[in-house]
Amino acid sequence: CPRVMEFVGFNLRNNLFVAPMAGVTNAPFRRLCRGQGAGLYVSEMITARAYVEGNAKTQRLAHFDDDEPLRSIQLYGIDAFHVGEAVRRLVDSDHVDHIDLNFGCPAPKVTKNGGGSALPVRKRLLRDIIAAAVAGAGDVPITAKFRMGVDDDHPLTYLDTGRIAEDEGCAMIALHARTAEQLYSGDARWEAIGRLKEHVTSIPVLGNGDIWEATDAVAMMAATGCDGVVVGRGCLGGRVLGGHGRRHGGEGSGRRLRRGVGQSDAVRPW
């Protein structure tokens, strides 16, 4: 999909993206991803307010090595001021080429503060945060990653979230096809990715969830019509990137038989 591969003004090799993962997607890991064929690889998530306040740990997490050709970072925040200011400072320092907004983290320490996958329930706040980020970014593209909703006992929010992101100027969106309550259990509901793709038509829509090897990525795109895939825990076993990640075609791999094999629940791809 050319729209995906050129969305940051770079000639991305493909539309296979590596999700930000706490404690994983640091500079050495991103270098491995680059060498193994990923189109885009996002750094560990940083907190907008901590970055604005000059927190030393957050500043270290936001560091990129000199040899990184594409500096992509994920930002988490629960208010428009700090998100907008963090984006402006990152861009003004010529520190990033792409910023992804986190509306998908299901960790209780994040959702209890109304952030991550809990935030899209508050549609006005969601709109304000995205608008502030886009306004502060200039020519740097803003994207958003989110989940289907909080749980199945409440209205799912992903279609409204996608439309708000589209309306407020996001360059691309990605859906992890689980609810926050599911965390990383159960099946990812790929049909939701297809519905989102039908609902959001002017920007690329990426799918995430249950991509354990390269044929799963091909199967997801065929089943949903999405423009690309985001891989989290599935990239850790070497079956998506590397030689497998550079191949295309083939049938689906029977993803539901392999979930969790060799994967740690402590790894959280947000």
Side-chain angles (χ1 to χ4, degrees):
C1 176
R3 290 182 304 166
V4 176
M5 296 175 72
E6 297 174 4
F7 87 105
V8 289
F10 284 77
N11 292 318
L12 303 183
R13 288 179 286 182
N14 54 59
N15 47 7
L16 174 65
F17 296 172
V18 176
M21 290 178 279
V24 175
T25 51
N26 54 24
F29 187 82
R30 296 193 298 270
R31 189 175 298 112
L32 288 174
C33 292
R34 184 167 76 247
Q36 294 298 314
L40 182 69
Y41 24 87
V42 186
S43 76
E44 299 177 75
M45 181 188 76
I46 67 167
T47 302
R49 181 168 181 173
Y51 183 80
V52 170
E53 294 177 349
N55 178 273
K57 179 180 178 181
T58 302
Q59 298 292 327
R60 289 195 299 272
L61 288 173
H63 171 75
F64 291 91
D65 286 347
D66 292 339
D67 65 345
E68 296 192 65
L70 178 57
R71 298 158 297 172
S72 176
I73 197 164
Q74 191 182 62
L75 192 63
Y76 155 80
I78 56 175
D79 70 274
F81 170 76
H82 284 103
V83 170
E85 182 64 15
V87 168
R88 186 187 65 78
R89 294 188 186 191
L90 285 165
V91 172
D92 286 352
S93 66
D94 197 29
H95 194 67
V96 294
D97 302 299
H98 160 239
I99 298 172
D100 184 60
L101 300 178
N102 182 321
F103 302 119
C105 177
K109 67 179 182 180
V110 171
T111 58
K112 73 178 182 181
N113 295 318
S117 55
L119 197 145
V121 173
R122 302 163 69 185
K123 296 178 186 178
R124 180 58 185 269
L125 177 60
L126 174 71
R127 187 179 294 275
D128 289 347
I129 287 175
I130 295 174
V134 172
D139 294 332
V140 172
I142 298 294
T143 64
K145 186 170 182 286
F146 49 93
R147 285 183 173 237
M148 293 175 63
V150 174
D151 56 43
D152 287 307
D153 294 327
H154 296 85
L156 298 177
T157 56
Y158 69 102
L159 294 180
D160 286 337
T161 301
R163 180 60 60 81
I164 289 170
E166 181 181 35
D167 290 346
E168 295 302 327
C170 279
M172 184 174 67
I173 57 176
L175 175 65
H176 184 154
R178 287 183 172 91
T179 64
E181 182 183 49
Q182 284 183 270
L183 298 176
Y184 305 96
S185 66
D187 292 334
R189 289 176 267 180
W190 286 4
E191 63 274 13
I193 299 169
R195 286 195 290 270
L196 181 63
K197 175 62 180 173
E198 293 173 352
H199 194 72
V200 174
T201 59
S202 69
I203 58 175
V205 174
L206 307 184
N208 175 228
D210 289 355
I211 303 295
W212 300 110
E213 57 183 61
T215 50
D216 293 332
V218 175
M220 175 185 279
M221 294 185 66
T224 67
C226 67
D227 298 294
V229 299
V230 180
V231 185
R233 295 169 296 158
C235 75
L236 300 180
R239 297 185 64 86
V240 179
L241 297 179
H244 293 275
R246 287 191 289 267
R247 296 180 194 145
H248 300 279
E251 299 298 326
S253 65
R255 61 194 174 95
R256 302 192 190 284
L257 298 178
R258 273 187 290 275
R259 180 183 305 103
V261 175
Q263 308 299 332
S264 169
D265 289 338
V267 175
R268 300 199 177 275
W270 294 342

